[in-house]
Amino acid sequence: MRPTTLGMKAVGDPNLLRQIARGRSPSLRTADRILAYIAGFDQDPGRAQAPPGRTRRSRPGARARRTRKSRAETENAMERRTRPPTRFLRVSEVQARTGLSRSTIYRWSAEGRFPQAIRLSERVVRWVEAEVENWIRERIARSAGVRAHRRQRVRG
């Protein structure tokens, strides 16, 4: 049985299994309806019916339209779904993540020791979250290297 057929017959939503595959969690009621349909299907495949409830009706004359996408378009869409969206951080969020003061953030940005802010408008600047996170990771790695070096020097 096709996934769209199962979704349609079980709960009246042909996209149910696609949405579950994308990470949507079905409600307990929906899960119970799916399990009830599967149990009825296992007992008598020819007479399995959808449990009573909401079903979707299509418009008269409406047909499902399929479009073919190239492999590159499909891969690009998959990459967009898996890549986290770019976020901008306010200075207060940068302060909270780094533990730096506002003046230090601006001074180090001017000196090139911290990621540059992006000017969104005349009075609004934001930092790219990924750049700030990378800076934090670099600082942690550098700090871990210094600590390891100090331990070796103390032992030797």
Side-chain angles (χ1 to χ4, degrees):
M1 178 182 296
R2 291 177 41 205
T4 54
T5 305
L6 173 66
M8 189 65 193
K9 287 189 174 184
V11 294
D13 184 3
N15 294 317
L16 174 73
L17 293 179
R18 281 191 203 116
Q19 291 169 352
I20 291 172
R22 288 183 187 142
R24 173 187 162 208
S25 298
S27 66
L28 292 176
R29 180 176 172 220
T30 301
D32 288 340
R33 290 172 72 186
I34 294 169
L35 292 174
Y37 177 80
I38 292 171
F41 188 85
D42 287 342
Q43 291 173 3
D44 187 8
R47 297 197 47 176
Q49 294 181 355
R54 178 180 69 102
T55 58
R56 293 186 178 185
R57 295 185 183 145
S58 63
R59 295 187 320 257
R63 290 187 304 188
R65 198 171 58 167
R66 289 188 179 193
T67 58
R68 290 188 176 257
K69 292 184 178 179
S70 70
R71 184 179 195 142
E73 288 175 328
T74 305
E75 289 173 358
N76 287 341
M78 292 293 285
E79 183 181 323
R80 271 185 261 125
R81 276 198 296 254
T82 58
R83 186 178 54 215
T86 302
R87 283 198 57 229
F88 292 120
L89 301 176
R90 294 170 170 255
V91 70
S92 59
E93 292 173 295
V94 174
Q95 284 179 283
R97 288 185 186 209
T98 62
L100 299 173
S101 69
R102 181 182 301 253
S103 59
T104 301
I105 291 169
Y106 282 107
R107 187 176 69 246
W108 283 7
S109 290
E111 294 171 359
R113 296 171 57 187
F114 192 76
Q116 294 289 316
I118 294 174
R119 184 165 295 282
L120 298 179
S121 71
E122 187 179 322
R123 297 180 61 181
V124 177
V125 295
R126 297 287 186 262
W127 282 261
V128 177
E129 181 181 36
E131 292 177 1
V132 173
E133 292 297 324
N134 287 340
W135 182 86
I136 292 170
R137 280 191 216 100
E138 287 173 8
R139 294 292 288 212
I140 291 171
R142 217 180 301 155
S143 174
V146 168
R147 280 188 253 144
H149 179 69
R150 285 182 187 160
R151 272 190 242 122
Q152 288 176 353
R153 199 173 58 197
V154 170
R155 288 181 191 160

